Amino acid sequence: MSEEHQTTFDRLFSLLNKPVEEIEATRQRHHRESLSFTNFVKLLVYYFTQGIGSGRLLITDLKQNGPELKLPQVSRSTFFDAFTRFPTEWFAQLASRLLKEATWLEIPELKSLGTLYSVDGSLFPALMEMDWATYKTGCQAFRLHLLLDLNHMLPVHIVIGDGNSNEKTVLKELLEANITYITDRGYVCFDLLAAIVKAKAYFVMRMKRNLSYTTLEKRPVSLPQSVTHFFCHLTDQKVTLKKAKGHTSYRLISFWIDQTQFLILTNRFDLTTFQIIMIYGYRWQIELIFRFLKRTCNGLHLLSTSEKGVTTQFYALIITALLQLHLKQTCILACENSEPLEQTPFDDQAIADRFASVANGQPFLATVGDKLHRFWKIGIHWLHTLRNCLAKPFDLNVIKALGYT
């Protein structure tokens, strides 16, 4: 399709055109098929972008759409059956292709620190009829396990399990060399630490207060002067863990903020004290992603009750979020007509000065990064603007509306 005749929805979906066509070219069609895989993907992207409350409302919405969007009208049964008919692996392939082939902006504060993944899991309520989503007696739930690439603020791995699925086990299966995994206290496990080291990967993990360790040496604390008053009893040590097998040494950074103690364990000895603290502070972004998926994207409403269908739904949700993020960044770049971020290495003092200027009364290190909100946040006001533009031609007016909202 020529760009002159593209709608904004066409432009939003355009990154998927080639990978979807390749799947269509190889799959076997049903002789009575009324909904193609391409159109099913388009319906899901439209559903999550438009913020429609349920699958039934989507069917009603399609009947009222104008011809500009070129979306098919389908029956309720055809739409819901598609969650069973089309393999989840195809959606995983689409997400993987998007991450690898699209151009994504990097955060300069983190680029020079290596590849950083924040890791966590979050519970989603399930219906009682969903027998696979076991959790507690009289309470069904499933858990979404997520790996968030902090360098680009992109979800790179998702795993759906029942409410009791083990977060540590999932992480062990996803480990890759040369990646630093950032976790909270729920991932504390000596076997997991050993597995990360064996995989030639790294971790920055908050430990529990009852951690038992032996100090091997005290390291010099490296902290910019402008933020020293935020931290109390700050130490940086090389330690061994008393209850862990073997004699592997780690680095333990301990400090207090107000009435809260933080014990941060890592096997990164190449960074400053402040850089380790900063890396852990960025972990909070994954909590914001879960809130975005649950609330902004209406991920709490399930379109399918099967494990396969739920996994398909969340892959489609992630794919839609990636498409929206790419479109937003593209429009901002077009409006500014310049490189948005300096490609400079991490500077402790510069970041510390920004932190010091906003930290009072804010969540711990949640506000770091001047451009984070503008380039990486998909807010409700921007989504509202996008929804109003979906059927409009993708022209300069739309680019400005999406680039400046």
Side-chain angles (χ1 to χ4, degrees):
M1 178 184 298
S2 66
E3 294 188 5
E4 295 180 358
H5 298 92
Q6 271 193 336
T7 63
T8 303
F9 181 76
D10 291 330
R11 181 61 180 82
L12 175 71
F13 193 82
S14 61
L15 288 177
L16 289 182
N17 285 336
K18 183 177 179 180
V20 167
E21 288 174 1
E22 290 176 0
I23 292 176
E24 285 283 19
T26 57
R27 75 179 183 90
Q28 184 176 359
R29 291 168 174 75
H30 191 276
H31 69 283
R32 297 177 60 185
E33 180 176 282
S34 58
L35 179 63
S36 67
F37 177 68
T38 299
N39 281 333
F40 182 51
V41 177
K42 285 186 175 182
L43 291 183
L44 290 176
V45 171
Y46 175 76
Y47 170 84
F48 288 117
T49 300
Q50 194 66 16
I52 299 172
S54 69
R56 293 185 178 185
L57 287 176
L58 171 64
I59 304 306
T60 301
D61 184 272
L62 293 174
K63 295 177 181 178
Q64 301 169 356
N65 269 333
E68 298 88 357
L69 292 175
K70 300 180 286 295
L71 295 173
Q73 295 186 23
V74 296
S75 67
R76 185 186 306 171
S77 60
T78 298
F79 174 71
F80 288 109
D81 286 347
F83 285 92
T84 302
R85 189 158 62 90
F86 295 117
T88 299
E89 291 76 14
W90 291 353
F91 288 88
Q93 290 176 27
L94 294 180
S96 179
R97 291 280 297 272
L98 270 180
L99 291 167
K100 292 179 180 178
E101 297 178 5
T103 301
W104 304 101
L105 297 181
E106 290 183 310
I107 299 175
E109 292 91 342
L110 299 179
K111 180 180 179 181
S112 63
L113 304 185
T115 304
L116 309 177
Y117 283 5
S118 182
V119 188
D120 209 348
S122 185
L123 284 173
F124 285 70
L127 302 175
M128 292 303 296
E129 65 192 67
M130 297 167 63
D131 295 336
W132 61 271
T134 56
Y135 183 47
K136 297 179 180 179
T137 303
C139 179
Q140 298 291 89
F142 64 90
R143 191 179 300 273
L144 173 64
H145 304 270
L146 179 66
L147 268 62
L148 177 68
D149 175 359
L150 292 176
N151 303 73
H152 306 86
M153 291 297 163
L154 301 175
V156 291
H157 288 291
I158 66 168
V159 176
I160 300 292
D162 63 50
N164 297 314
S165 54
N166 190 284
E167 294 173 326
K168 308 175 192 69
T169 301
V170 171
L171 178 54
K172 282 183 182 180
E173 296 173 352
L174 298 175
L175 290 175
E176 299 179 51
N178 300 317
I179 292 177
T180 301
Y181 297 92
I182 302 100
T183 76
D184 211 353
R185 289 171 290 188
Y187 285 82
V188 173
C189 172
F190 295 150
D191 288 342
L192 176 58
L193 299 184
I196 294 174
V197 172
K198 183 177 180 181
K200 297 183 179 180
Y202 306 97
F203 65 87
V204 174
M205 183 181 297
R206 186 179 178 186
M207 307 302 286
K208 299 176 181 178
R209 288 185 296 176
N210 63 350
L211 179 68
S212 181
Y213 61 90
T214 300
T215 300
L216 299 179
E217 67 176 82
K218 293 184 178 180
R219 295 169 53 88
V221 172
S222 175
L223 195 68
Q225 185 63 34
S226 58
V227 297
T228 55
H229 62 286
F230 290 107
F231 304 93
C232 297
H233 311 297
L234 176 60
T235 61
D236 192 340
Q237 307 172 76
K238 184 178 181 180
V239 303
T240 57
L241 306 180
K242 291 183 178 180
K243 297 182 180 180
K245 297 179 180 179
H247 301 283
T248 304
S249 59
Y250 301 108
R251 182 181 181 187
L252 180 66
I253 297 174
S254 174
F255 57 91
W256 288 74
I257 293 183
D258 292 331
Q259 304 299 314
T260 304
Q261 183 183 18
F262 292 83
L263 293 173
I264 310 298
L265 192 74
T266 182
N267 58 343
R268 292 287 302 266
F269 288 88
D270 58 315
L271 304 178
T272 68
T273 308
F274 185 61
Q275 287 170 343
I276 296 296
I277 295 174
M278 281 289 302
I279 287 177
Y280 178 75
Y282 265 101
R283 192 206 69 84
W284 182 254
Q285 295 301 320
I286 199 169
E287 304 292 349
L288 301 180
I289 292 294
F290 281 128
R291 182 178 179 180
F292 171 77
L293 296 177
K294 288 181 176 181
R295 303 298 178 183
T296 305
C297 299
N298 195 28
L300 293 173
H301 180 84
L302 301 180
L303 296 171
S304 174
T305 57
S306 69
E307 184 173 8
K308 178 176 181 286
V310 169
T311 304
T312 293
Q313 173 177 338
F314 276 88
Y315 267 118
L317 198 162
I318 294 296
I319 288 168
T320 304
L322 291 173
L323 293 174
Q324 292 170 357
L325 179 62
H326 192 271
L327 181 63
K328 178 176 183 177
Q329 292 180 349
T330 299
C331 290
I332 293 174
L333 291 175
C335 291
E336 296 193 352
N337 195 28
S338 62
E339 289 297 324
L341 302 171
E342 301 88 355
Q343 299 303 309
T344 55
F346 187 103
D347 183 279
D348 277 15
Q349 187 60 57
I351 303 302
D353 290 342
R354 291 206 297 269
F355 167 59
S357 67
V358 297
N360 288 316
Q362 300 294 331
F364 173 52
L365 289 179
T367 54
V368 173
D370 291 339
K371 302 276 186 174
L372 190 60
H373 181 275
R374 177 152 172 74
F375 283 92
W376 283 275
K377 180 181 179 181
I378 303 296
I380 57 175
H381 296 286
W382 188 86
L383 279 176
H384 184 75
T385 302
L386 175 61
R387 291 164 184 168
N388 287 338
C389 295
L390 283 181
K392 295 179 180 179
F394 186 69
D395 55 18
L396 186 58
N397 292 328
V398 171
I399 293 173
K400 288 182 177 180
L402 296 176
Y404 289 121
T405 298

